[in-house]
Amino acid sequence: MLLRLTSILQKHQQSVTKNLVTSWRHFHDNFFKIMPSVSAALANQKPVVALESTIITHGMPFPQNVITAKRVEDIVKANGAIPATIGVLNGKIHVGWSEEELEFLASLKTAVKISRWDLPCVLSKGLSGGMTVSATMIAAHKAGIPVFVTGGIGGVHLGGETTMDVSADLTELGRTPIAVVSAGVKSILDIGRTLEYLETQGVSVATFGKSCDFPAFFVSRSGFLSPYNVTNEEEAAAMIEAALTLGLNSGVLLAVPIPEEKAAIGHQIENAIEKAVAEARAQNVIGKEVTPFILQRVNELMEGKSLEANMALIENNAKVGSKIAVCLSKRMKRNGFPSALHTKKNKTPENHKMPVVIGGINVDFIAKMKEENIVMGETNLGIISQSFGGVGRNLADCLTRLGEQPLLISAVGEDVYSDSVFHYCRHMNTSGIARLRENSTATYCAVITNKGEIKLGFGDMDIHQEITKNYVSKFYKNLASASLVCLDGNLPVSTINYVCDIAQKHSVPVWYEPTDPKRACKPFLSDSWKSLTFISPNLSELYAINQALGLPVSSALPTSLDEILNSAATLSRPLLEFLKCVIVTLGAQGVLLCGRSKDGTVCLQPRKDNMVDRLCSIHYSAIPVPSKNIINVSGAGDSLAAAIMAGILQGHTTDICVKMGLLAAHLSLESKHPTSPHMNRANLSLEKIQAAKWPQPTFRWIV
């Protein structure tokens, strides 16, 4: 019953998500503008700090507001991060502002103070204004920015237990996964009830420093305690990373005390605040006009000293927040988090073509022998690990980590394994995965030698036969408009034929990953193979394909490298009558590409001309990996193929595509996961490729 309820809820969530994706794409295209420097930083997983704009429009007078805004951005840059001030200009949310735009906003007398509930009206009417903490959190999260720096957050107002006057900042913290770095809560609020409300909302709260004293904006001690404290930026980054990893969908509040040298006037400011609050009540100032009124009045009563303290605490928050963002970025790269920008599937424009991967998902169990030989009938010592694999899943995972946004079409059971699969693959577009009540999630068990070679394997993969033509037909539009469709050999023959037919009708390139010699032949049982564009077999699979086509093959596989390269090229030749390229994976001996020549190599990119070029092959050696460093061999070939796919989709040269693939395979071999969590665009960047020393590839004509 519980599993059934879980299934119903998940299907409902997927349905709602599917409907919302289209809405958000429209919203993003029409109401969002991300500055190129911010977009580039996010794409390359560099630290970015979101900054609010109500301090510009409603927190300080002109020109101090624009001076402070620029100074804060400079502080963020000086501490190694990219600033992203967020506000609304002419009905469009700007993430990152030019100096001219900042000055315009700072001097705009009609600027609106924008909270969550203002957003639809402000954007639809084309208005401009500063965004509060709650609205900034929404925009920063949608842009993929995990750290947001502000002055202080709103809270429960005095008497809020009867008036229900509670800031939207608190509820937003309870439903938006972002870290907010602030000087605590403004002292004009009920701080005790604010902390209680944050606890109810599930918001993680910690003071930045050696004590748990919760700050109150102008004073470092409010008389209340945070439940925790973090003593430095690294601890703060670890806390944020833990929250993001858990997927709590609630925020983190880091309260930073005002610098001690500026806290001395805190008591004077508190007295001025009490007087300003009394005046606000007498003048019936209510709602979102209260805070700007009090801040301006306090500044007048303190003759500018409060403004100086206000600027000091905001600048200090920017310094602390930037250092936290830098530490967080390093931790996320080190631990293999994909770029937030690239995992926002709902941010892809509708006219942008996406790859589609159709194939299997497995839960893998890998046993690596400690001794050289297996002793049958006895317990053998080894190292056993669990990971998530399946050729289709591996390919989609790798493509996602390298900046593409593939739709994965597959099937799992309604069991404990499938729950783990969805959790592990949460960074991927899993909306095409069927969850079948009557089937078990596929499992695979392999025994590998201490040198990393597969000794034997067992698979319980019947569920792959449920990825039927009828199920796949639900994604017809995705297939017909895909930038690339990738099929793995686990699929039923009828499904492969169906997809190849769609691809041929709509001129969609197709990549076939054979998976093993028995499954390699499936497209070649009919003319479907003539619709393929790329295929990535090993030598055994290539032999099986030629046999399926009725072509003669030798009785034994070659052993020397020269014989292997000649044999692979000869066996690839008949396929190249219709296919663009045959990528022959050779394990420790690298990879051989066979296809039509262009500029001294095999052409992988689409050709604009109709020239018929000679067939050729080019061999790249693998990156050597000591056997003691090899942990998992089940995903190296998939990682190689997917990284080459990513390179093709990103418009790289053949040389760069292949080297991306070799680096990806190297990462996979040294990881317990088939697709290394450290796989990302930074680790396979042009800079890394160009900095490495590569053996000269070997070019040959195919005759």
Short mmCIF file of all heavy atoms in Angstrom, two decimals, residues 203-244:
data_model
loop_
_atom_site.label_atom_id
_atom_site.label_comp_id
_atom_site.label_asym_id
_atom_site.label_seq_id
_atom_site.Cartn_x
_atom_site.Cartn_y
_atom_site.Cartn_z
N VAL A 203 14.34 25.68 8.63
CA VAL A 203 15.50 26.44 8.15
C VAL A 203 16.69 26.20 9.08
O VAL A 203 16.58 26.35 10.30
CB VAL A 203 15.19 27.95 8.08
CG1 VAL A 203 16.41 28.73 7.59
CG2 VAL A 203 13.99 28.20 7.18
N SER A 204 17.81 25.82 8.51
CA SER A 204 19.03 25.63 9.30
C SER A 204 19.63 27.00 9.61
O SER A 204 19.91 27.78 8.70
CB SER A 204 20.04 24.78 8.53
OG SER A 204 19.52 23.51 8.25
N VAL A 205 19.85 27.28 10.90
CA VAL A 205 20.35 28.59 11.33
C VAL A 205 21.66 28.40 12.08
O VAL A 205 21.77 27.52 12.95
CB VAL A 205 19.33 29.30 12.25
CG1 VAL A 205 19.88 30.65 12.71
CG2 VAL A 205 18.00 29.48 11.53
N ALA A 206 22.65 29.20 11.74
CA ALA A 206 23.94 29.16 12.44
C ALA A 206 24.55 30.55 12.47
O ALA A 206 24.42 31.32 11.51
CB ALA A 206 24.90 28.18 11.77
N THR A 207 25.19 30.88 13.59
CA THR A 207 25.94 32.13 13.69
C THR A 207 27.35 31.90 13.15
O THR A 207 27.96 30.86 13.41
CB THR A 207 26.02 32.61 15.15
OG1 THR A 207 24.69 32.88 15.61
CG2 THR A 207 26.85 33.87 15.28
N PHE A 208 27.85 32.87 12.41
CA PHE A 208 29.21 32.78 11.88
C PHE A 208 30.16 33.38 12.91
O PHE A 208 30.17 34.58 13.13
CB PHE A 208 29.31 33.53 10.55
CG PHE A 208 30.66 33.37 9.88
CD1 PHE A 208 30.87 32.33 9.00
CD2 PHE A 208 31.69 34.26 10.13
CE1 PHE A 208 32.10 32.17 8.37
CE2 PHE A 208 32.92 34.10 9.51
CZ PHE A 208 33.13 33.06 8.63
N GLY A 209 30.93 32.53 13.55
CA GLY A 209 31.86 33.00 14.58
C GLY A 209 32.02 31.96 15.67
O GLY A 209 31.55 30.83 15.57
N LYS A 210 32.69 32.38 16.74
CA LYS A 210 33.03 31.44 17.81
C LYS A 210 31.87 31.18 18.78
O LYS A 210 31.91 30.23 19.55
CB LYS A 210 34.25 31.94 18.58
CG LYS A 210 35.52 31.98 17.73
CD LYS A 210 36.71 32.48 18.53
CE LYS A 210 37.97 32.49 17.67
NZ LYS A 210 39.14 32.99 18.43
N SER A 211 30.87 32.06 18.79
CA SER A 211 29.76 31.87 19.71
C SER A 211 28.47 31.63 18.95
O SER A 211 28.40 31.80 17.73
CB SER A 211 29.59 33.10 20.61
OG SER A 211 28.94 34.14 19.91
N CYS A 212 27.43 31.26 19.70
CA CYS A 212 26.11 31.05 19.10
C CYS A 212 25.21 32.27 19.26
O CYS A 212 24.01 32.20 18.95
CB CYS A 212 25.43 29.83 19.74
SG CYS A 212 26.13 28.25 19.22
N ASP A 213 25.76 33.39 19.75
CA ASP A 213 24.95 34.60 19.91
C ASP A 213 24.37 35.02 18.57
O ASP A 213 25.11 35.23 17.59
CB ASP A 213 25.79 35.74 20.48
CG ASP A 213 26.13 35.52 21.94
OD1 ASP A 213 25.19 35.23 22.72
OD2 ASP A 213 27.32 35.62 22.30
N PHE A 214 23.06 35.18 18.53
CA PHE A 214 22.41 35.57 17.29
C PHE A 214 22.42 37.09 17.17
O PHE A 214 21.94 37.80 18.05
CB PHE A 214 20.96 35.05 17.26
CG PHE A 214 20.28 35.24 15.94
CD1 PHE A 214 20.48 34.34 14.90
CD2 PHE A 214 19.45 36.34 15.71
CE1 PHE A 214 19.86 34.50 13.68
CE2 PHE A 214 18.82 36.51 14.49
CZ PHE A 214 19.03 35.60 13.47
N PRO A 215 23.00 37.63 16.08
CA PRO A 215 23.10 39.08 15.93
C PRO A 215 21.78 39.73 15.55
O PRO A 215 20.89 39.08 14.98
CB PRO A 215 24.14 39.26 14.82
CG PRO A 215 24.02 38.02 14.00
CD PRO A 215 23.64 36.92 14.95
N ALA A 216 21.68 41.02 15.84
CA ALA A 216 20.48 41.78 15.51
C ALA A 216 20.87 43.02 14.71
O ALA A 216 20.78 44.15 15.19
CB ALA A 216 19.71 42.17 16.76
N PHE A 217 21.38 42.77 13.53
CA PHE A 217 21.71 43.82 12.58
C PHE A 217 22.79 44.75 13.13
O PHE A 217 23.99 44.47 12.95
CB PHE A 217 20.44 44.59 12.21
CG PHE A 217 20.51 45.24 10.84
CD1 PHE A 217 20.66 44.46 9.70
CD2 PHE A 217 20.41 46.60 10.68
CE1 PHE A 217 20.72 45.04 8.43
CE2 PHE A 217 20.47 47.19 9.42
CZ PHE A 217 20.62 46.41 8.29
N PHE A 218 22.45 45.82 13.85
CA PHE A 218 23.45 46.77 14.32
C PHE A 218 24.20 46.31 15.56
O PHE A 218 25.22 46.90 15.92
CB PHE A 218 22.79 48.13 14.62
CG PHE A 218 22.33 48.87 13.39
CD1 PHE A 218 20.99 49.18 13.20
CD2 PHE A 218 23.24 49.25 12.41
CE1 PHE A 218 20.57 49.86 12.08
CE2 PHE A 218 22.83 49.94 11.29
CZ PHE A 218 21.48 50.24 11.11
N VAL A 219 23.70 45.29 16.23
CA VAL A 219 24.38 44.80 17.43
C VAL A 219 24.71 43.32 17.26
O VAL A 219 23.96 42.58 16.61
CB VAL A 219 23.51 45.01 18.70
CG1 VAL A 219 23.35 46.48 19.00
CG2 VAL A 219 22.15 44.35 18.54
N SER A 220 25.84 42.92 17.82
CA SER A 220 26.32 41.55 17.60
C SER A 220 25.60 40.54 18.49
O SER A 220 25.66 39.34 18.23
CB SER A 220 27.83 41.48 17.84
OG SER A 220 28.15 41.93 19.14
N ARG A 221 24.94 41.01 19.56
CA ARG A 221 24.23 40.10 20.46
C ARG A 221 22.79 40.59 20.65
O ARG A 221 22.57 41.69 21.14
CB ARG A 221 24.94 40.01 21.81
CG ARG A 221 26.33 39.37 21.73
CD ARG A 221 27.02 39.39 23.09
NE ARG A 221 28.32 38.76 23.02
CZ ARG A 221 29.43 39.39 22.66
NH1 ARG A 221 29.38 40.68 22.34
NH2 ARG A 221 30.58 38.74 22.62
N SER A 222 21.87 39.74 20.30
CA SER A 222 20.45 40.11 20.41
C SER A 222 19.84 39.65 21.73
O SER A 222 18.72 40.04 22.06
CB SER A 222 19.67 39.48 19.26
OG SER A 222 19.70 38.06 19.36
N GLY A 223 20.58 38.80 22.45
CA GLY A 223 20.02 38.18 23.65
C GLY A 223 19.43 36.82 23.37
O GLY A 223 18.98 36.12 24.29
N PHE A 224 19.46 36.39 22.11
CA PHE A 224 18.99 35.07 21.71
C PHE A 224 20.14 34.28 21.10
O PHE A 224 21.12 34.88 20.62
CB PHE A 224 17.84 35.19 20.71
CG PHE A 224 16.60 35.82 21.29
CD1 PHE A 224 16.44 37.21 21.23
CD2 PHE A 224 15.62 35.06 21.90
CE1 PHE A 224 15.32 37.81 21.76
CE2 PHE A 224 14.49 35.65 22.44
CZ PHE A 224 14.34 37.03 22.38
N LEU A 225 20.02 32.96 21.07
CA LEU A 225 21.08 32.10 20.57
C LEU A 225 20.64 31.36 19.31
O LEU A 225 19.49 30.94 19.19
CB LEU A 225 21.49 31.07 21.63
CG LEU A 225 22.08 31.61 22.94
CD1 LEU A 225 22.35 30.44 23.89
CD2 LEU A 225 23.34 32.40 22.68
N SER A 226 21.59 31.22 18.39
CA SER A 226 21.38 30.32 17.26
C SER A 226 21.56 28.89 17.75
O SER A 226 22.31 28.65 18.70
CB SER A 226 22.41 30.60 16.15
OG SER A 226 22.25 31.87 15.60
N PRO A 227 20.90 27.92 17.11
CA PRO A 227 21.09 26.52 17.53
C PRO A 227 22.51 26.03 17.28
O PRO A 227 22.98 25.11 17.95
CB PRO A 227 20.07 25.75 16.69
CG PRO A 227 19.73 26.64 15.55
CD PRO A 227 19.88 28.04 16.04
N TYR A 228 23.21 26.63 16.29
CA TYR A 228 24.56 26.19 15.95
C TYR A 228 25.43 27.40 15.61
O TYR A 228 24.92 28.51 15.44
CB TYR A 228 24.54 25.22 14.75
CG TYR A 228 23.70 24.01 14.96
CD1 TYR A 228 22.39 23.95 14.47
CD2 TYR A 228 24.20 22.91 15.66
CE1 TYR A 228 21.60 22.83 14.68
CE2 TYR A 228 23.40 21.79 15.88
CZ TYR A 228 22.11 21.75 15.39
OH TYR A 228 21.34 20.66 15.59
N ASN A 229 26.73 27.14 15.48
CA ASN A 229 27.63 28.15 14.95
C ASN A 229 28.65 27.48 14.03
O ASN A 229 28.92 26.28 14.15
CB ASN A 229 28.35 28.91 16.07
CG ASN A 229 29.39 28.05 16.77
OD1 ASN A 229 29.08 27.00 17.30
ND2 ASN A 229 30.63 28.52 16.79
N VAL A 230 29.15 28.24 13.08
CA VAL A 230 30.24 27.78 12.21
C VAL A 230 31.39 28.76 12.39
O VAL A 230 31.19 29.98 12.37
CB VAL A 230 29.81 27.71 10.72
CG1 VAL A 230 28.86 26.55 10.50
CG2 VAL A 230 29.15 29.01 10.26
N THR A 231 32.58 28.25 12.60
CA THR A 231 33.70 29.13 12.98
C THR A 231 34.44 29.73 11.81
O THR A 231 35.18 30.69 11.98
CB THR A 231 34.70 28.36 13.87
OG1 THR A 231 35.19 27.22 13.14
CG2 THR A 231 34.02 27.88 15.15
N ASN A 232 34.26 29.16 10.61
CA ASN A 232 34.98 29.70 9.45
C ASN A 232 34.22 29.40 8.16
O ASN A 232 33.18 28.73 8.18
CB ASN A 232 36.41 29.13 9.38
CG ASN A 232 36.43 27.60 9.40
OD1 ASN A 232 35.67 26.95 8.68
ND2 ASN A 232 37.30 27.03 10.23
N GLU A 233 34.77 29.89 7.05
CA GLU A 233 34.10 29.74 5.75
C GLU A 233 33.98 28.29 5.33
O GLU A 233 32.99 27.89 4.71
CB GLU A 233 34.86 30.53 4.68
CG GLU A 233 34.83 32.04 4.86
CD GLU A 233 35.91 32.55 5.80
OE1 GLU A 233 36.75 31.73 6.23
OE2 GLU A 233 35.92 33.75 6.11
N GLU A 234 35.00 27.48 5.62
CA GLU A 234 34.98 26.07 5.23
C GLU A 234 33.85 25.31 5.93
O GLU A 234 33.15 24.50 5.30
CB GLU A 234 36.33 25.42 5.53
CG GLU A 234 36.49 24.02 4.96
CD GLU A 234 36.42 23.97 3.44
OE1 GLU A 234 36.92 24.89 2.78
OE2 GLU A 234 35.86 23.00 2.90
N GLU A 235 33.66 25.58 7.23
CA GLU A 235 32.58 24.94 7.96
C GLU A 235 31.22 25.37 7.41
O GLU A 235 30.29 24.56 7.29
CB GLU A 235 32.65 25.29 9.45
CG GLU A 235 33.72 24.55 10.21
CD GLU A 235 33.65 24.82 11.71
OE1 GLU A 235 32.58 25.24 12.19
OE2 GLU A 235 34.68 24.62 12.38
N ALA A 236 31.13 26.66 7.08
CA ALA A 236 29.87 27.16 6.52
C ALA A 236 29.57 26.50 5.17
O ALA A 236 28.44 26.10 4.89
CB ALA A 236 29.94 28.67 6.36
N ALA A 237 30.61 26.37 4.33
CA ALA A 237 30.43 25.75 3.01
C ALA A 237 30.02 24.29 3.16
O ALA A 237 29.18 23.79 2.41
CB ALA A 237 31.71 25.86 2.20
N ALA A 238 30.61 23.60 4.12
CA ALA A 238 30.27 22.19 4.36
C ALA A 238 28.81 22.06 4.78
O ALA A 238 28.10 21.12 4.37
CB ALA A 238 31.19 21.60 5.43
N MET A 239 28.33 23.00 5.59
CA MET A 239 26.94 22.98 6.03
C MET A 239 25.99 23.20 4.85
O MET A 239 24.98 22.50 4.70
CB MET A 239 26.74 24.08 7.08
CG MET A 239 25.33 24.20 7.62
SD MET A 239 25.23 25.54 8.83
CE MET A 239 23.48 25.51 9.22
N ILE A 240 26.33 24.15 3.99
CA ILE A 240 25.49 24.42 2.81
C ILE A 240 25.49 23.22 1.87
O ILE A 240 24.44 22.81 1.36
CB ILE A 240 26.00 25.68 2.07
CG1 ILE A 240 25.91 26.91 2.97
CG2 ILE A 240 25.20 25.91 0.78
CD1 ILE A 240 26.68 28.11 2.45
N GLU A 241 26.67 22.65 1.65
CA GLU A 241 26.76 21.49 0.76
C GLU A 241 25.92 20.33 1.28
O GLU A 241 25.24 19.65 0.51
CB GLU A 241 28.22 21.05 0.63
CG GLU A 241 28.41 19.89 -0.34
CD GLU A 241 29.81 19.32 -0.33
OE1 GLU A 241 30.44 19.29 0.74
OE2 GLU A 241 30.26 18.88 -1.39
N ALA A 242 25.95 20.12 2.60
CA ALA A 242 25.15 19.05 3.19
C ALA A 242 23.66 19.29 2.95
O ALA A 242 22.91 18.36 2.61
CB ALA A 242 25.43 18.94 4.69
N ALA A 243 23.23 20.54 3.12
CA ALA A 243 21.81 20.87 2.90
C ALA A 243 21.41 20.63 1.45
O ALA A 243 20.33 20.08 1.16
CB ALA A 243 21.55 22.32 3.30
N LEU A 244 22.27 21.04 0.51
CA LEU A 244 21.96 20.85 -0.91
C LEU A 244 21.96 19.37 -1.28
O LEU A 244 21.12 18.91 -2.06
CB LEU A 244 22.98 21.61 -1.77
CG LEU A 244 22.96 23.13 -1.65
CD1 LEU A 244 24.10 23.74 -2.46
CD2 LEU A 244 21.64 23.71 -2.12
#
